[in-house]
Amino acid sequence: MKLFGTDGVRAKAGEFLDSFLAMRLAMAAGIYFKDKSITNNILVGKDTRRSGYMIENAIVSGLTSIGYNVIEIGPMPTPAIAFLTEDMRCDAGIMISASHNPYYDNGIKFFDAHGNKLNEDIERKIEEIYFNDKLIQDSKVSMDQIGQAKRIDDVIGRYIVSIKNSFPKDLTLKSLRVVLDVAHGASYKVAPTVFRELGAEVIVINDQPNGLNINENCGALHPSHLASEVIKFRADVGFAFDGDADRLVVVNEKGEVAHGDSLLGVLALYLKEQGKLKSSVVATIMSNGALKEFLNKHEILLETCNVGDKYVLEKLKTIGGNFGGEQSGHIIFSDYAKTGDGLIAALQFSALMLSKKKSASAILSQIKPYPQLLTNLKISEKKDLEKIKGLKELKKDLENKNINYLFRYSGTENLIRLLLENKDIKILEKEMNNVINFFKKALNE
């Protein structure tokens, strides 16, 4: 059985992801990291979901049972865990979060001692340990070898300092009125603090987490409330984060929600103009064709990778790059953070507005994304796509019509995600019907 998906282990809390799985998974990860241990400490953070209490206690139990000491820091953004794991010299970091998912889901993400997400080889090794009953049993300790756990509540200051250091020293946010939608999630304290300390006039919405309202009709996945608040308060810009604040959605002063690839493009150009862009930009295979066109016009190369911010990071390391992301809002400035960080991306966009002395709408209108249609089709089984009869011919037909396509299975559900892109929406709608009918027949018979 496979535990890890595209971003750690994620499932419905209390069902597949119960306290027993969390405890044993923590033991397996601890056994793996023990071989490389320097401080014998592992950092554990979480978002604001009620199930976080259950999973956190199970993880602490698992780690201390094999002799690890645990530092618990409570609700903090995922990028903060990546930063603090390295900053506090821990052997590893664990974030309990299902990111943008509803409250009833939860997840467990791991970071190594340098704050990097684990690659698939390491995840596979942890899975092997998880299913090795003898190794799990033999790794238990007793008496004075049992680990300790302590809670530290003041580490938020370290993360705030690191975030503020990513913002240009010669700029201030004093001229900006900003609306922040913190999604009743992990950034509900840190995001308003950062923006206020840098001088912005801040209006905060959805900052009353109760364990059950994270991401509920708010945040990066539901920015319509933010859009109306930006207009209501005549704000210069609105920023929406998801539950663990590793993704960002921008709303301009007109209440228009920015396309993720438009945001990537203008931020990439901003870095290049400052002489800070180290190589090609990295985006996923879902990126819009208009992004590549815009970057190429400004003599910036674009490289693509699989969906998932960890694959963007891996590609950046391979090419020696420092900027990339996903159209969903995961934006990586690797000079400042080890993973996608919504706060850093929001500050960089604010700096872009201030340095250019232009409105958010004027900046973002430089890129007009091509129409895309995305359908999530429920299926009965996941067949090897390469072996589906007639798929090669379907792809060839789409290519002949200048339609970009992406067909991929969900990592956690029995779904196939069907993406089509073309400059003509009418052509897209017709072809999407054909594609849906093809896969319904091929995968449900």
Side-chain angles (χ1 to χ4, degrees):
M1 185 173 66
K2 186 170 172 57
L3 299 175
F4 287 90
T6 54
D7 194 13
V9 177
R10 190 179 299 185
K12 190 167 286 188
E15 295 184 8
F16 178 81
L17 180 50
D18 60 13
S19 56
F20 297 100
L21 184 145
M23 181 174 70
R24 189 173 175 111
L25 182 62
M27 293 174 75
I31 292 166
Y32 173 81
F33 287 112
K34 270 282 186 183
D35 291 340
K36 302 146 195 66
S37 179
I38 299 173
T39 63
N40 202 46
N41 292 327
I42 288 183
L43 187 77
V44 177
K46 60 183 180 179
D47 63 22
T48 56
R49 292 161 214 268
R50 180 180 290 181
S51 59
Y53 294 104
M54 173 188 74
I55 296 170
E56 179 183 40
N57 287 329
I59 286 173
V60 171
S61 178
L63 290 173
T64 54
S65 74
I66 62 169
Y68 252 117
N69 297 323
V70 182
I71 300 171
E72 300 170 82
I73 62 172
M76 287 285 280
T78 290
I81 307 307
F83 165 74
L84 291 167
T85 296
E86 182 177 46
D87 191 62
M88 297 176 73
R89 307 298 190 270
C90 294
D91 291 343
I94 299 175
M95 177 64 179
I96 304 163
S97 174
S99 192
H100 59 277
N101 286 32
Y103 82 90
Y104 48 76
D105 291 332
N106 216 326
I108 303 173
K109 306 178 188 182
F110 295 93
F111 298 90
D112 66 18
H114 302 291
N116 299 310
K117 287 188 176 181
L118 308 186
N119 62 40
E120 289 181 344
D121 288 338
I122 297 175
E123 290 176 344
R124 199 174 298 113
K125 288 174 183 175
I126 292 174
E127 283 184 355
E128 289 171 1
I129 297 170
Y130 179 96
F131 292 110
N132 188 330
D133 290 338
K134 187 176 187 305
L135 182 53
I136 291 284
Q137 189 64 36
D138 291 347
S139 298
K140 294 177 183 176
V141 297
S142 61
M143 300 177 68
D144 63 341
Q145 296 299 303
I146 294 172
Q148 297 175 300
K150 62 180 178 180
R151 185 172 292 277
I152 301 177
D153 295 320
D154 60 355
V155 294
I156 189 171
R158 295 191 191 203
Y159 178 57
I160 287 172
V161 169
S162 75
I163 290 292
K164 288 167 65 178
N165 284 339
S166 71
F167 189 72
K169 295 288 191 294
D170 59 335
L171 293 177
T172 174
L173 295 177
K174 283 184 179 178
S175 61
L176 287 187
R177 178 181 292 173
V178 179
V179 183
L180 302 178
D181 183 347
V182 292
H184 301 301
S187 65
Y188 78 102
K189 288 183 180 178
V190 65
T193 301
V194 167
F195 275 85
R196 284 177 179 135
E197 288 189 3
L198 288 170
E201 180 185 348
V202 180
I203 297 107
V204 189
I205 60 174
N206 301 312
D207 61 342
Q208 301 294 322
N210 62 17
L212 305 178
N213 59 1
I214 187 170
N215 298 317
E216 186 179 17
N217 297 319
C218 60
L221 258 68
H222 307 281
S224 58
H225 182 203
L226 172 62
S228 63
E229 294 296 286
V230 167
I231 294 172
K232 173 184 172 182
F233 289 103
R234 297 193 294 278
D236 297 296
V237 67
F239 296 121
F241 309 102
D242 64 343
D244 66 340
D246 64 352
R247 69 164 71 182
L248 170 73
V249 167
V250 175
V251 172
N252 69 25
E253 78 285 357
K254 299 177 182 178
E256 298 166 337
V257 179
H259 192 284
D261 283 323
S262 297
L263 185 59
L264 276 173
V266 297
L267 287 172
L269 180 59
Y270 178 52
L271 280 179
K272 187 192 177 188
E273 289 174 343
Q274 296 175 88
K276 293 181 179 179
L277 188 63
K278 292 179 180 175
S279 73
S280 305
V281 171
V282 175
T284 74
I285 50 178
M286 290 187 72
S287 65
N288 195 282
L291 172 62
K292 183 175 182 179
E293 188 177 273
F294 174 81
L295 293 177
N296 288 348
K297 184 175 77 173
H298 293 282
E299 300 181 336
I300 301 171
L301 295 177
L302 175 69
E303 299 207 28
T304 57
C305 63
N306 287 332
V307 176
D309 65 329
K310 74 176 181 180
Y311 298 114
V312 177
L313 276 162
E314 288 174 8
K315 188 79 168 184
L316 285 173
K317 287 176 188 173
T318 301
I319 67 172
N322 65 337
F323 180 75
E326 299 183 278
Q327 66 173 216
S328 61
H330 289 119
I331 299 175
I332 299 166
F333 290 87
S334 62
D335 289 342
Y336 307 124
K338 299 286 184 175
T339 185
D341 191 320
L343 274 169
I344 286 177
L347 287 180
Q348 290 300 310
F349 185 77
S350 299
L352 169 56
M353 289 175 62
L354 292 165
S355 63
K356 294 288 186 182
K357 297 180 180 178
K358 289 184 177 180
S359 67
S361 61
I363 291 168
L364 291 162
S365 65
Q366 295 176 83
I367 304 178
K368 291 181 171 58
Y370 303 152
Q372 287 184 333
L373 289 181
L374 175 64
T375 298
N376 293 320
L377 181 66
K378 285 190 176 182
I379 55 175
S380 56
E381 66 172 310
K382 296 179 180 178
K383 298 179 182 177
D384 185 345
L385 290 177
E386 296 299 318
K387 295 180 181 178
I388 294 178
K389 188 176 180 181
L391 184 55
K392 285 184 181 178
E393 290 78 8
L394 175 67
K395 289 180 176 179
K396 189 68 178 175
D397 183 55
L398 292 172
E399 288 165 7
N400 289 338
K401 294 172 180 173
N402 293 316
I403 296 173
N404 296 325
Y405 59 84
L406 176 63
F407 309 138
R408 68 183 185 92
Y409 291 119
S410 164
T412 57
E413 302 172 87
N414 264 13
L415 295 174
I416 186 167
R417 306 194 194 282
L418 310 172
L419 176 69
L420 298 182
E421 175 187 287
N422 183 269
K423 293 183 179 182
D424 190 329
I425 188 66
K426 290 183 179 178
I427 292 175
L428 280 187
E429 289 170 349
K430 178 184 175 184
E431 293 304 321
M432 179 58 84
N433 285 331
N434 294 335
V435 168
I436 290 171
N437 290 333
F438 173 85
F439 279 105
K440 274 183 178 178
K441 186 176 181 181
L443 299 176
N444 288 314
E445 287 186 343

